[in-house]
Amino acid sequence: CKMDKDEKIGSTCEITFQEINEMNKKIRPDVISLVATDFFKYFKLNLYKQCPFWEDNNAQCLHRACAVDVVEDWDSLPEYWQPDALGSFSNDSIEEDSTKDDECKFLDQLCAGSGKTTSSLDNKLEDESNVDYCDTADFANRDSVLVDLSANPERFTGYGGKQAGQVWQSIYQDNCFTVNEASASLAKDVFYRLVSGLHASIGTHLSNEYLNTETGKWEPNLDLFMARVGNFPERVSNIYFNYAIISKALWKIQPYLKNLEFCNSYDESVKTKIIDIISQFDSRIFNEDLVFEDDLSLLLKDEFRQRFKNVTEIMDCVHCDRCRLWGKVQTTGYATSLKILFELDDADEETKQNVVDKLTKYELIALFNTLDRLSKSIDSINNFERLYNERLSDN
Ligand code: FAD
């Protein structure tokens, strides 16, 4: 990637690519072990929700007919490598939600009788909030299932073609704000970078864990990475931008974490890991105050929130289950960080504490797993750069 690592990542960020690389090296081991804990590895997903935006009964689109063209000849490959198999969940990683009547029961079982788990979900679900950037009602839906994220890593699935293209196109279209162009330009820029950074991060993971159909191994594919991400410095930069958004949101909630419990009696180290991670972040990483600063801000912010909510709902139009799972996790993670960044500011201390106390278990799970996705993307980008330089010096 032809980019200057000592450059700042954007007008809203007072920090360089290199500084983020260094920060990421420090937190990576803790992030890996945090998302592997029982509290953070289950996400709740409604698999039966219809796509709310267009007629969507083309079941074929899970199949090889709509798959990506990076695999030359799908037909010659065995069934277990077909996109419908790669994009599905691994056996036994889904549990019917046995906690329908008591949201905390599932974690209570994990906590081996620890009484209290995370504090807030019950209150939250009754609370009609207008500060959400995603639809948190899904987490209470009776059709939702619990999926073990660690058993379903985000990687190459073969999902692609027109169906995936349509999803990406409609996500980018959500960046067409009706509010006056000039004052909306920074907000539009943030929106675009968020979506493009998500897209690039997914592209990085699918290239980093790519199925080599000759050897049957999952391995990095440098050519694919360059074609999707590496040849576009702007896309790489948007991954770093998203890292800045998520880490600033985490930095901001640090003083208000005291009431949140993460199954502590089951695994005491969870909260310590969180604090260790956040203590590496720097408030200069993103300046959210610049985004909505003039008279139109309230209107613009409402529109921004509604449009980002659409993005989280468009995930229900993704046909590949595994892609949809990670799409939901990450859009929920971004939605949660936007809520923290843009809704925590004007409030007094008590209100701030209240917003943090009311974060649901699944918003927290999404937030930290999205940090992990970005942290892994940055790790992979540095690895791809090394592979690229090795290739250059071999030639
Ligand atoms: P696409 O990635 O579909 O992109 C369409 C167009 O968008 C490109 O032609 C380009 O002009 C533009 N574009 C591409 N990247 C960017 C960017 N970063 N910023 C701005 N513009 C860009 N596939 C997997 O193998 N594993 C997954 O886990 C997975 N998860 C997905 C999750 C979601 C929500 C979606 C919608 C798709 C997912 N896919 C996944 C599919 C994957 O993202 C691609 O759509 C697919 O690999 C086909 O890629 P493509 O090269 O045809 O272009």
Side-chain angles (χ1 to χ4, degrees):
C1 325
K2 297 264 172 288
M3 41 199 299
D4 178 358
K5 288 190 180 163
D6 294 320
E7 239 178 60
K8 292 184 183 149
I9 39 182
S11 60
T12 43
C13 312
E14 278 298 314
I15 217 162
T16 65
F17 294 97
Q18 190 52 29
E19 283 175 286
I20 290 193
N21 284 338
E22 281 156 19
M23 190 183 282
N24 193 48
K25 271 198 199 119
K26 289 187 195 145
I27 65 163
R28 188 79 197 115
D30 271 337
V31 174
I32 292 173
S33 73
L34 185 71
V35 294
T37 60
D38 288 321
F39 184 92
F40 281 103
K41 76 178 186 192
Y42 288 94
F43 194 69
K44 207 166 183 187
L45 187 71
N46 182 352
L47 287 174
Y48 310 104
K49 206 165 171 189
Q50 293 294 312
C51 169
F53 298 100
W54 57 81
E55 275 293 317
D56 193 35
N57 33 27
N58 187 359
Q60 281 300 319
C61 277
L62 245 189
H63 218 255
R64 65 193 80 156
C66 311
V68 269
D69 55 10
V70 287
V71 172
E72 302 265 303
D73 185 9
W74 284 108
D75 286 338
S76 66
L77 299 177
E79 278 308 311
Y80 53 85
W81 282 352
Q82 296 301 327
D84 44 353
L86 295 178
S88 64
F89 293 129
S90 90
N91 294 342
D92 303 331
S93 65
I94 303 190
E95 302 191 23
E96 286 304 322
D97 187 6
S98 56
T99 60
K100 280 167 188 157
D101 300 325
D102 176 2
E103 181 59 39
C104 289
K105 212 163 104 197
F106 172 70
L107 275 176
D108 283 345
Q109 282 160 1
L110 284 180
C111 292
S114 79
K116 204 170 158 208
T117 57
T118 187
S119 53
S120 52
L121 196 70
D122 298 339
N123 315 342
K124 167 68 187 191
L125 295 174
E126 285 152 24
D127 181 26
E128 270 300 311
S129 167
N130 65 354
V131 294
D132 282 336
Y133 289 66
C134 65
D135 191 356
T136 51
D138 269 5
F139 304 135
N141 191 293
R142 293 189 165 259
D143 289 331
S144 296
V145 290
L146 286 164
V147 188
D148 180 348
L149 297 171
S150 66
N152 297 287
E154 188 185 20
R155 64 187 183 192
F156 177 74
T157 61
Y159 175 56
K162 270 199 192 136
Q163 216 272 332
Q166 182 182 20
V167 173
W168 283 121
Q169 195 186 359
S170 59
I171 290 176
Y172 285 106
Q173 272 165 4
D174 264 308
N175 197 23
C176 302
F177 287 86
T178 53
V179 173
N180 168 302
E181 283 286 313
S183 65
S185 71
L186 193 53
K188 277 175 89 165
D189 185 55
V190 169
F191 196 101
Y192 174 78
R193 294 192 79 175
L194 268 173
V195 169
S196 167
L198 165 69
H199 196 167
S201 180
I202 290 172
T204 305
H205 292 298
L206 71 86
S207 317
N208 191 51
E209 283 176 70
Y210 179 74
L211 178 63
N212 179 335
T213 52
E214 277 167 24
T215 61
K217 290 200 171 122
W218 294 93
E219 59 191 27
N221 179 330
L222 179 59
D223 292 322
L224 187 58
F225 171 76
M226 293 310 289
R228 297 295 178 90
V229 183
N231 287 330
F232 305 86
E234 180 209 77
R235 295 182 189 173
V236 176
S237 146
N238 293 338
I239 293 178
Y240 281 78
F241 179 81
N242 287 9
Y243 189 98
I245 294 256
I246 297 280
S247 46
K248 180 64 187 282
L250 288 170
W251 181 88
K252 229 172 152 171
I253 58 171
Q254 184 173 24
Y256 309 101
L257 285 176
K258 57 180 181 291
N259 296 342
L260 294 183
E261 291 186 27
F262 303 91
C263 235
N264 305 356
S265 60
Y266 179 75
D267 188 350
E268 260 182 24
S269 60
V270 170
K271 208 159 186 176
T272 319
K273 279 186 193 125
I274 290 176
I275 302 210
D276 287 348
I277 292 167
I278 300 183
S279 66
Q280 296 297 332
F281 295 145
D282 180 330
S283 69
R284 295 174 306 134
I285 201 164
F286 183 73
N287 185 350
E288 63 280 11
D289 296 339
L290 299 176
V291 183
F292 300 112
E293 42 168 26
D294 71 11
D295 291 350
L296 275 172
S297 289
L298 268 186
L299 217 62
L300 186 59
K301 199 163 80 168
D302 275 348
E303 190 173 349
F304 190 101
R305 182 190 305 118
Q306 193 46 52
R307 287 180 181 276
F308 199 84
K309 218 174 203 175
N310 280 350
V311 173
T312 67
E313 286 171 17
I314 291 172
M315 294 303 121
D316 292 317
C317 307
V318 172
H319 282 229
C320 146
D321 282 344
R322 202 182 273 236
C323 312
R324 176 175 177 170
L325 167 70
W326 284 105
K328 271 282 183 199
V329 168
Q330 292 171 84
T331 51
T332 306
Y334 292 124
T336 308
S337 61
L338 294 172
K339 175 162 76 175
I340 294 167
L341 290 176
F342 298 133
E343 309 296 337
L344 223 60
D345 248 2
D346 302 330
D348 58 36
E349 286 301 303
E350 199 184 324
T351 324
K352 284 182 189 168
Q353 181 69 58
N354 216 10
V355 171
V356 177
D357 287 349
K358 284 189 170 169
L359 290 174
T360 67
K361 179 167 71 195
Y362 296 104
E363 287 176 295
L364 290 167
I365 292 170
L367 192 57
F368 281 98
N369 273 283
T370 306
L371 173 69
D372 171 62
R373 298 293 74 212
L374 292 163
S375 162
K376 184 161 185 202
S377 286
I378 288 180
D379 210 33
S380 310
I381 289 169
N382 287 312
N383 189 44
F384 277 123
E385 186 184 27
R386 193 179 51 75
L387 295 176
Y388 184 83
N389 289 335
E390 273 171 22
R391 183 188 277 180
L392 278 188
S393 60
D394 286 349
N395 288 334

